[in-house]
Amino acid sequence: MSDATTPPARSAGESRRRQVMGDAFVDRALAGATPFTQPLQQLVNDHAWGATWQRGGIDLKQRSLCTVAMLAALGHVNELKGHLRGPLTNGATLAELGEVLLHVGPYAGVPGAVAAFRAAGEWMAAEGLSLDE
């Protein structure tokens, strides 16, 4: 077990998180952790990325698209912006991503879909992405 001065070995969860979200994103999340928030980062790595994202049954593209749909449906716009890169990393197109966000409307509410599209548009602009590509 590591102490406060010894960094823990990279877990399978952190490795999958880096695979899907990219090193820069994960580095920012981990660098921003404080002694107070570090347990949350560990929980995210171990349980979300280490347990759920390691399972079979659906591929990473499907998992990423499901994650985007759930975050949009729940109105978690900040988390959604972080996870929008996942589907593209895992082989989805911007058109597929748009269809998932559109699908949120009738099942979780049009205001949620509007907020998700707004967040996706901001993220796309920041990343220099366009549906025309």
Side-chain angles (χ1 to χ4, degrees):
M1 179 173 227
S2 65
D3 61 27
T5 60
T6 307
R10 183 176 294 171
S11 67
E14 183 182 333
S15 294
R16 178 58 51 92
R17 188 178 185 188
R18 288 179 179 285
Q19 177 187 0
V20 173
M21 303 298 284
D23 286 330
F25 181 89
V26 177
D27 288 345
R28 279 191 306 274
L30 297 177
T34 66
F36 182 71
T37 61
Q38 182 56 41
L40 175 61
Q41 289 298 319
Q42 195 64 45
L43 178 96
V44 169
N45 281 339
D46 292 349
H47 296 284
W49 296 102
T52 305
W53 279 82
Q54 299 292 329
R55 294 179 56 82
I58 60 175
D59 63 27
L60 292 178
K61 176 182 168 182
Q62 293 167 320
R63 232 175 254 290
S64 290
L65 289 170
C66 287
T67 301
V68 163
M70 288 182 279
L71 291 171
L74 291 168
H76 296 304
V77 175
N78 288 332
E79 287 296 313
L80 173 64
K81 283 182 179 180
H83 278 273
L84 289 167
R85 80 187 73 254
L88 300 182
T89 299
N90 292 318
T93 65
L94 285 174
E96 289 173 313
L97 185 59
E99 287 299 319
V100 167
L101 296 178
L102 187 64
H103 205 73
V104 168
Y107 292 96
V110 171
V114 169
F117 269 97
R118 184 176 299 118
E122 292 169 2
W123 174 78
M124 288 170 60
E127 295 290 319
L129 300 172
S130 137
L131 192 57
D132 299 332
E133 295 176 353

